[in-house]
Structure formats: C-alpha cells, structure tokens
C-alpha cells in the first residue's frame, strides 16, 4: 500500500512510506524478541501509514466518512495498548467496514482518475 502512494507532497509521502517500512521492520524484530513494547510500536507505525492513506483517499473520493477513519484507528490503538478488548473490537470493526467501503469505491474508479495531475508530483 505504501510503495505506490500517489501523494503530491514528497514530505508526506516520505512519512507514510517510512512509517510502513519501520512497522514492517519492527514486526520482524518482534518475532525474535518477546517484548510487547516492540509489538505495540510496530502496530503504531503501521497504523500511521493506514491512517495517512485513509485520509488521503478521503480527498480522492470526497467521502466525509473516510476522514474519521484515522480517529477510529487511534482509538483502536489505544484499546490494544491498554488492553480494552471491547473498545478494540468495536473500533476495529467500524474501521474495517469504512476501509472496505473505500476499497469498493476505489475498485470502481477508472485508473486515470486515481493518478491525478502528474505535473504536480514532487520527485
């Protein structure tokens, strides 16, 4: 998801891609260590990328409901870190439904709408 982001601003693209790679690296590190802190940090880094992509896609589709997905992911992360299973489950389900709706809308969109104005990209 982070490897092919169509974001005009290279600084924001760098933050999202770096958080995704950091999350992947921390996940692999958590397999060889038994620390829960590393696991929580890896989830946090991956959620930063997911929240950023969700917020970016809210502009592409003009879907106001998708703009709340980053907030839902923050509350989900809180529930995971502080062991609140009911909060975690509720916010995970709601966020997953919103993400599925966004994916459905994205699959129906022609590719040339997704890329936007290529002259505005910062390389």
């Amino acid at each position: 998801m982070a490897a092919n982001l169509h974001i005009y601003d290279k600084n924001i693209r760098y933050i999202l891609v770096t958080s995704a790679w950091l999350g992947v690296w921390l996940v692999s590190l958590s397999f060889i260590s038994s620390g829960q802190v590393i696991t929580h940090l890896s989830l946090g880094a991956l959620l930063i990328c997911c929240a950023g992509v969700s917020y970016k896609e809210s502009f592409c589709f003009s879907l106001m409901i998708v703009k709340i997905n980053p907030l839902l992911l923050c509350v989900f992360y809180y529930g995971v870190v502080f062991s609140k299973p009911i909060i975690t489950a509720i916010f995970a389900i709601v966020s997953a439904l919103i993400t599925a709706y966004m994916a459905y809308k994205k699959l129906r969109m022609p590719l040339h709408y997704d890329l936007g104005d290529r002259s505005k990209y910062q390389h």
Side-chain angles (χ1 to χ4, degrees), residues 55-72:
Y55 191 69
K56 175 245 183 225
E57 294 297 338
S58 72
F59 292 107
C60 291
F61 301 118
S62 299
L63 298 172
M64 293 303 292
I65 194 161
V66 178
K67 287 187 182 187
I68 67 166
N69 208 20
L71 297 174
L72 296 173

Side-chain angles (χ1 to χ4, degrees), residues 18-86:
T18 302
S19 70
W21 280 112
L22 178 64
V24 169
W25 181 75
L26 287 171
V27 165
S28 64
L29 189 63
S30 71
F31 285 132
I32 60 173
S33 72
S34 60
Q36 200 173 30
V37 172
I38 295 174
T39 305
H40 287 157
L41 288 175
S42 65
L43 177 63
L46 292 170
L47 287 176
I48 288 171
C49 181
C50 290
V53 169
S54 184
Y55 191 69
K56 175 245 183 225
E57 294 297 338
S58 72
F59 292 107
C60 291
F61 301 118
S62 299
L63 298 172
M64 293 303 292
I65 194 161
V66 178
K67 287 187 182 187
I68 67 166
N69 208 20
L71 297 174
L72 296 173
L73 291 174
C74 288
V75 177
F76 164 75
Y77 186 65
Y78 165 81
V80 169
V81 171
F82 294 105
S83 300
K84 307 285 186 192
I86 294 175

Side-chain angles (χ1 to χ4, degrees), residues 7-14 120-122:
I7 296 179
Y8 296 129
D9 189 347
K10 67 180 176 180
N11 294 323
I12 294 173
R13 187 172 54 237
Y14 176 77
K120 293 184 180 180
Y121 284 103
Q122 297 174 357

